[in-house]
Amino acid sequence: MAPEIVLQLALLTLTLAMFIAIRKFPREALSKLRTRHRATLQSNRHFAHGSTLLAQARGAHPAQSLAHAKSALFEAQKALSLSPKDPGPLVLKALALDLMGHKSSARRSLDLALSSPRVRSLAESERGDALVKRAELKLATNRRRRVDSALEDLVEAVRLGGSTKATAFCLLGECYERKGMREAAKEAFEGALRVEPGSVAARQGLDRLGP
């Protein structure tokens, strides 16, 4: 076979291979994207259902509350299995465990949610709310030993803001009060009242501290 013909055949073969590769790559990439998207959608469904169950648990009588909390935990685990890097299901899991009375396990779940790189997926306000909850759990499981650790979370939570900012200020005030830091405690309780003027906990804190 003449060298020119061999060269032409080689070029034709290479061109055909490149054409197939170019056509195939987008389909493979799209297939992977669709798989990831389906997993994300399914994870979000479990998360949304779990959040609804958690809200129902908070307003139900004890027996039904426990049943709803267990179901919320199941949905959180399902969502986590589909999106293991998503901190949302870990926060949901922590809240469900807390309602079930498993405070140490709930705190560990929040530790994971707030660890790198997961924490980068949380908005500042979401991170603030998660820090407040973790501080609550730290104080509930071992108040005396964990005051300083809870303080760190609460100072950061106040800086970040969130729907529980008033609670963060109140807990901060209680921590300062326990450490004998009277003026700092008063400032924290006053901060809570600026955020939520009707805060009973803040008023009680200021009453305890006196003028």
Side-chain angles (χ1 to χ4, degrees):
M1 185 179 292
E4 293 82 359
I5 296 174
V6 173
L7 180 60
Q8 286 177 2
L9 285 173
L11 288 172
L12 181 62
T13 302
L14 179 61
T15 302
L16 184 61
M18 290 176 64
F19 177 76
I20 292 171
I22 290 168
R23 285 177 59 88
K24 185 180 180 183
F25 174 75
R27 287 201 300 270
E28 289 180 345
L30 183 60
S31 176
K32 289 178 182 178
L33 180 60
R34 283 174 178 167
T35 302
R36 287 199 299 271
H37 188 55
R38 280 199 298 269
T40 301
L41 284 176
Q42 190 62 30
S43 174
N44 288 343
R45 289 192 192 101
H46 285 297
F47 180 82
H49 189 205
S51 298
T52 300
L53 288 165
L54 189 70
Q56 292 172 350
R58 286 170 170 161
H61 61 77
Q64 195 171 9
S65 176
L66 182 61
H68 284 322
K70 286 181 178 178
S71 297
L73 177 61
F74 176 78
E75 295 297 327
Q77 296 279 38
K78 283 284 189 181
L80 192 58
S81 69
L82 292 165
S83 300
K85 295 181 181 179
D86 186 354
L90 285 165
V91 174
L92 177 61
K93 179 181 176 180
L95 296 175
L97 286 167
D98 181 35
L99 272 181
M100 293 165 65
H102 305 310
K103 297 190 180 299
S104 294
S105 297
R107 180 177 52 77
R108 286 193 292 272
S109 186
L110 281 176
D111 286 342
L112 289 172
L114 290 165
S115 64
S116 185
R118 288 190 186 95
V119 70
R120 291 199 290 269
S121 300
L122 292 172
E124 285 194 353
S125 59
E126 293 170 336
R127 193 157 79 248
D129 289 342
L131 286 166
V132 172
K133 188 61 189 178
R134 185 168 72 173
E136 284 182 347
L137 292 167
K138 285 177 178 179
L139 295 172
T141 51
N142 197 327
R143 184 177 290 269
R144 181 173 297 177
R145 288 180 56 194
R146 295 187 179 275
V147 169
D148 289 338
S149 180
L151 264 173
E152 290 179 11
D153 281 353
L154 294 167
V155 168
E156 180 67 2
V158 165
R159 186 187 70 80
L160 293 170
S163 62
T164 55
K165 188 172 182 177
T167 302
F169 269 122
C170 284
L171 288 173
L172 194 59
E174 290 176 17
C175 288
Y176 283 137
E177 192 178 357
R178 284 183 166 271
K179 290 174 70 69
M181 301 169 67
R182 187 171 177 276
E183 290 305 314
K186 285 182 70 174
E187 287 178 11
F189 288 129
E190 287 166 356
L193 288 174
R194 285 194 296 272
V195 177
E196 188 180 307
S199 173
V200 175
R203 291 287 180 193
Q204 290 174 340
L206 288 172
D207 288 343
R208 283 195 308 272
L209 292 168

